[in-house]
Amino acid sequence: GDSVTQMEGPVTLSEEAFLTINCTYTATGYPSLFWYVQYPGEGLQLLLKATKADDKGSNKGFEATYRKETTSFHLEKGSVQVSDSAVYFCALARSSNTGKLIFGQGTTLQVKP
Amino acid sequence: DTAVSQTPKYLVTQMGNDKSIKCEQNLGHDTMYWYKQDSKKFLKIMFSYNNKELIINETVPNRFSPKSPDKAHLNLHINSLELGDSAVYFCASSQGVSYGYTFGSGTRLTVV
């Protein structure tokens, strides 16, 4: 079945460091891919998305490129801030009527001043 | 105005009790979902409704019963609560898979 695998956390970085969180997926066809962010005590917020191969999603300095050949959707940011500390979830959805989102296990990011 | 609102935010109850969680969305979306997030932050879909019709029912104990009186509301009723039901339950809505979901802020259920 469809699945998403993210790198293990927690990831601890200093402010202004470069961030990469790896995400790979298993799915047939051409799923849509998403990154969600969950701040402490809050619900999930859509961070960015890509719906076809080679699309780049971007938002708030984060970006991720849909790589069909490597079945990956790695999240990157050039310079993290303390306020980026959160749990990041990679997810996929197949293009069907059910629209079920399948999530990776989440990666906790902690940014220190 | 909150787009997807859940009530209550916190729920502490004893084993064996019955409880409900309510969810409402004002986005005009056709599809609503319930997800369960466990203590390790893993998210798993439980149910989905499209225009009041049940379209996803994952392997969930039949003590859990969703109800959608209209497309803006999706409630979750849980009978005979067990310790293992302790989790954060998220409601979400969507207008189509390529748009992603809008999530509520969650209901933290603690069964003691």
Side-chain angles (χ1 to χ4, degrees):
Chain A
D2 298 344
S3 65
V4 176
T5 303
Q6 294 179 229
M7 64 188 287
E8 290 279 338
V11 173
T12 302
L13 295 173
S14 297
E15 211 165 19
E16 299 183 6
F18 185 86
L19 169 71
T20 300
I21 300 178
N22 290 338
C23 170
T24 56
Y25 68 90
T26 302
T28 55
Y30 298 89
S32 295
L33 301 174
F34 306 85
W35 277 101
Y36 280 83
V37 58
Q38 184 178 26
Y39 299 102
E42 297 184 14
L44 282 77
Q45 300 174 28
L46 178 62
L47 183 58
L48 53 85
K49 64 182 172 82
T51 57
K52 59 184 189 296
D54 299 325
D55 266 3
K56 179 187 279 190
S58 60
N59 186 23
K60 299 181 182 178
F62 292 90
E63 53 184 39
T65 301
Y66 189 141
R67 301 283 188 205
K68 180 74 176 167
E69 63 277 11
T70 53
T71 62
S72 65
F73 193 54
H74 305 320
L75 183 68
E76 296 182 336
K77 187 176 186 184
S79 175
V80 293
Q81 306 300 312
V82 172
S83 57
D84 293 326
S85 299
V87 183
Y88 291 81
F89 292 92
C90 185
L92 71 81
R94 298 270 297 278
S95 300
S96 69
N97 289 337
T98 65
K100 179 169 72 172
L101 263 182
I102 295 170
F103 287 90
Q105 71 269 38
T107 302
T108 299
L109 169 66
Q110 185 177 21
V111 181
K112 297 189 172 179
Chain B
D1 247 1
T2 305
V4 180
S5 59
Q6 293 179 229
T7 53
K9 192 169 175 62
Y10 300 97
L11 191 49
V12 181
T13 188
Q14 291 188 325
M15 274 195 306
N17 283 351
D18 303 338
K19 290 293 177 186
S20 292
I21 306 171
K22 295 179 187 278
C23 179
E24 176 182 3
Q25 56 101 357
N26 63 6
L27 298 167
H29 290 168
D30 288 334
T31 310
M32 297 184 72
Y33 307 83
W34 279 110
Y35 273 77
K36 180 180 180 180
Q37 185 174 47
D38 65 22
S39 58
K40 295 186 178 177
K41 300 285 188 186
F42 185 71
L43 283 149
K44 187 165 168 37
I45 192 166
M46 300 173 70
F47 301 104
S48 173
Y49 272 74
N50 182 273
N51 266 319
K52 303 193 295 177
E53 181 185 346
L54 180 66
I55 56 171
I56 295 176
N57 184 350
E58 294 287 297
T59 310
V60 177
N62 57 15
R63 299 181 295 103
F64 290 79
S65 52
K67 282 191 174 51
S68 182
D70 56 61
K71 77 172 195 176
H73 295 85
L74 180 60
N75 304 321
L76 183 66
H77 187 76
I78 315 169
N79 289 326
S80 304
L81 278 154
E82 300 177 358
L83 292 176
D85 298 332
S86 296
V88 181
Y89 292 84
F90 286 102
C91 178
S93 70
S94 173
Q95 192 52 29
V97 61
S98 62
Y99 297 97
Y101 293 1
T102 302
F103 281 85
S105 57
T107 296
R108 181 175 293 277
L109 171 65
T110 304
V111 182
V112 297

Short mmCIF file of all heavy atoms in Angstrom, two decimals, chain B residues 72-95:
data_model
loop_
_atom_site.label_atom_id
_atom_site.label_comp_id
_atom_site.label_asym_id
_atom_site.label_seq_id
_atom_site.Cartn_x
_atom_site.Cartn_y
_atom_site.Cartn_z
N ALA B 72 -21.41 20.52 6.73
CA ALA B 72 -20.55 21.40 7.53
C ALA B 72 -20.21 20.82 8.90
O ALA B 72 -19.40 21.41 9.62
CB ALA B 72 -21.22 22.76 7.70
N HIS B 73 -20.78 19.71 9.25
CA HIS B 73 -20.60 19.15 10.59
C HIS B 73 -20.24 17.67 10.51
O HIS B 73 -20.84 16.91 9.74
CB HIS B 73 -21.87 19.30 11.44
CG HIS B 73 -22.23 20.72 11.73
ND1 HIS B 73 -22.97 21.49 10.85
CD2 HIS B 73 -21.94 21.52 12.80
CE1 HIS B 73 -23.13 22.69 11.37
NE2 HIS B 73 -22.52 22.74 12.54
N LEU B 74 -19.27 17.28 11.34
CA LEU B 74 -18.92 15.87 11.48
C LEU B 74 -18.57 15.63 12.94
O LEU B 74 -17.58 16.16 13.43
CB LEU B 74 -17.75 15.49 10.58
CG LEU B 74 -17.30 14.03 10.66
CD1 LEU B 74 -18.43 13.08 10.26
CD2 LEU B 74 -16.08 13.78 9.78
N ASN B 75 -19.40 14.85 13.61
CA ASN B 75 -19.20 14.59 15.03
C ASN B 75 -18.69 13.17 15.22
O ASN B 75 -18.90 12.30 14.36
CB ASN B 75 -20.52 14.79 15.79
CG ASN B 75 -21.08 16.19 15.57
OD1 ASN B 75 -20.34 17.17 15.51
ND2 ASN B 75 -22.39 16.29 15.42
N LEU B 76 -18.03 12.96 16.35
CA LEU B 76 -17.49 11.63 16.66
C LEU B 76 -17.96 11.22 18.04
O LEU B 76 -17.70 11.93 19.02
CB LEU B 76 -15.96 11.67 16.61
CG LEU B 76 -15.23 10.35 16.84
CD1 LEU B 76 -15.53 9.37 15.71
CD2 LEU B 76 -13.73 10.58 16.95
N HIS B 77 -18.68 10.11 18.10
CA HIS B 77 -19.16 9.60 19.38
C HIS B 77 -18.38 8.34 19.72
O HIS B 77 -18.17 7.48 18.85
CB HIS B 77 -20.65 9.28 19.31
CG HIS B 77 -21.23 8.92 20.64
ND1 HIS B 77 -21.49 9.86 21.61
CD2 HIS B 77 -21.56 7.71 21.16
CE1 HIS B 77 -21.97 9.24 22.68
NE2 HIS B 77 -22.02 7.95 22.44
N ILE B 78 -17.95 8.25 20.97
CA ILE B 78 -17.17 7.10 21.40
C ILE B 78 -17.85 6.45 22.60
O ILE B 78 -18.10 7.13 23.61
CB ILE B 78 -15.72 7.48 21.79
CG1 ILE B 78 -15.12 8.45 20.77
CG2 ILE B 78 -14.86 6.23 21.91
CD1 ILE B 78 -13.81 9.08 21.21
N ASN B 79 -18.17 5.19 22.47
CA ASN B 79 -18.80 4.43 23.57
C ASN B 79 -17.75 3.66 24.35
O ASN B 79 -16.70 3.29 23.83
CB ASN B 79 -19.81 3.41 23.00
CG ASN B 79 -21.05 4.08 22.45
OD1 ASN B 79 -21.50 5.09 22.97
ND2 ASN B 79 -21.59 3.51 21.39
N SER B 80 -18.08 3.42 25.61
CA SER B 80 -17.26 2.53 26.46
C SER B 80 -15.77 2.84 26.33
O SER B 80 -14.97 1.98 25.93
CB SER B 80 -17.52 1.06 26.08
OG SER B 80 -18.88 0.76 26.17
N LEU B 81 -15.40 4.04 26.66
CA LEU B 81 -14.02 4.50 26.47
C LEU B 81 -13.02 3.60 27.18
O LEU B 81 -13.25 3.12 28.29
CB LEU B 81 -13.88 5.94 26.94
CG LEU B 81 -14.34 6.94 25.89
CD1 LEU B 81 -14.79 8.24 26.51
CD2 LEU B 81 -13.21 7.18 24.89
N GLU B 82 -11.87 3.38 26.51
CA GLU B 82 -10.79 2.56 27.03
C GLU B 82 -9.53 3.42 27.16
O GLU B 82 -9.40 4.47 26.52
CB GLU B 82 -10.52 1.39 26.09
CG GLU B 82 -11.71 0.48 25.89
CD GLU B 82 -11.44 -0.63 24.89
OE1 GLU B 82 -10.34 -0.67 24.31
OE2 GLU B 82 -12.35 -1.47 24.69
N LEU B 83 -8.59 2.93 27.98
CA LEU B 83 -7.34 3.69 28.19
C LEU B 83 -6.64 3.95 26.86
O LEU B 83 -6.08 5.03 26.63
CB LEU B 83 -6.40 2.91 29.11
CG LEU B 83 -6.84 2.77 30.56
CD1 LEU B 83 -5.85 1.89 31.33
CD2 LEU B 83 -6.97 4.13 31.23
N GLY B 84 -6.68 2.98 25.96
CA GLY B 84 -6.00 3.10 24.67
C GLY B 84 -6.62 4.12 23.73
O GLY B 84 -6.04 4.43 22.69
N ASP B 85 -7.77 4.66 24.09
CA ASP B 85 -8.39 5.70 23.26
C ASP B 85 -7.78 7.07 23.54
O ASP B 85 -8.05 8.03 22.81
CB ASP B 85 -9.89 5.77 23.54
CG ASP B 85 -10.61 4.48 23.18
OD1 ASP B 85 -10.12 3.76 22.27
OD2 ASP B 85 -11.65 4.17 23.81
N SER B 86 -6.95 7.16 24.56
CA SER B 86 -6.30 8.44 24.87
C SER B 86 -5.42 8.84 23.70
O SER B 86 -4.54 8.08 23.26
CB SER B 86 -5.46 8.32 26.14
OG SER B 86 -6.27 8.05 27.26
N ALA B 87 -5.67 10.04 23.18
CA ALA B 87 -4.96 10.53 21.99
C ALA B 87 -5.45 11.94 21.71
O ALA B 87 -6.32 12.46 22.41
CB ALA B 87 -5.25 9.63 20.78
N VAL B 88 -4.90 12.53 20.65
CA VAL B 88 -5.45 13.79 20.14
C VAL B 88 -6.22 13.46 18.87
O VAL B 88 -5.70 12.79 17.97
CB VAL B 88 -4.35 14.83 19.84
CG1 VAL B 88 -4.98 16.13 19.35
CG2 VAL B 88 -3.50 15.09 21.08
N TYR B 89 -7.45 13.93 18.81
CA TYR B 89 -8.31 13.66 17.66
C TYR B 89 -8.46 14.96 16.86
O TYR B 89 -8.81 16.00 17.40
CB TYR B 89 -9.68 13.15 18.11
CG TYR B 89 -9.58 11.78 18.73
CD1 TYR B 89 -9.24 11.62 20.08
CD2 TYR B 89 -9.78 10.63 17.97
CE1 TYR B 89 -9.12 10.37 20.64
CE2 TYR B 89 -9.66 9.37 18.52
CZ TYR B 89 -9.33 9.25 19.86
OH TYR B 89 -9.19 7.99 20.41
N PHE B 90 -8.15 14.86 15.57
CA PHE B 90 -8.23 16.02 14.69
C PHE B 90 -9.33 15.84 13.66
O PHE B 90 -9.46 14.80 13.03
CB PHE B 90 -6.91 16.22 13.93
CG PHE B 90 -5.80 16.76 14.77
CD1 PHE B 90 -4.80 15.93 15.23
CD2 PHE B 90 -5.75 18.12 15.07
CE1 PHE B 90 -3.76 16.44 16.01
CE2 PHE B 90 -4.72 18.62 15.84
CZ PHE B 90 -3.73 17.79 16.31
N CYS B 91 -10.08 16.90 13.51
CA CYS B 91 -11.05 17.00 12.43
C CYS B 91 -10.40 17.81 11.30
O CYS B 91 -9.56 18.69 11.56
CB CYS B 91 -12.29 17.73 12.94
SG CYS B 91 -13.57 18.02 11.74
N ALA B 92 -10.76 17.52 10.06
CA ALA B 92 -10.21 18.25 8.92
C ALA B 92 -11.27 18.31 7.83
O ALA B 92 -12.21 17.51 7.81
CB ALA B 92 -8.94 17.60 8.40
N SER B 93 -11.10 19.26 6.92
CA SER B 93 -11.99 19.33 5.77
C SER B 93 -11.18 19.61 4.52
O SER B 93 -10.03 20.10 4.60
CB SER B 93 -13.08 20.40 5.97
OG SER B 93 -12.52 21.70 5.90
N SER B 94 -11.78 19.32 3.36
CA SER B 94 -11.07 19.48 2.11
C SER B 94 -12.06 19.69 0.97
O SER B 94 -13.17 19.14 1.00
CB SER B 94 -10.21 18.24 1.84
OG SER B 94 -9.63 18.30 0.56
N GLN B 95 -11.62 20.44 -0.03
CA GLN B 95 -12.45 20.62 -1.22
C GLN B 95 -11.93 19.77 -2.39
O GLN B 95 -12.47 19.82 -3.49
CB GLN B 95 -12.50 22.10 -1.61
CG GLN B 95 -13.55 22.47 -2.65
CD GLN B 95 -14.95 21.97 -2.29
OE1 GLN B 95 -15.29 21.82 -1.12
NE2 GLN B 95 -15.76 21.68 -3.29
#
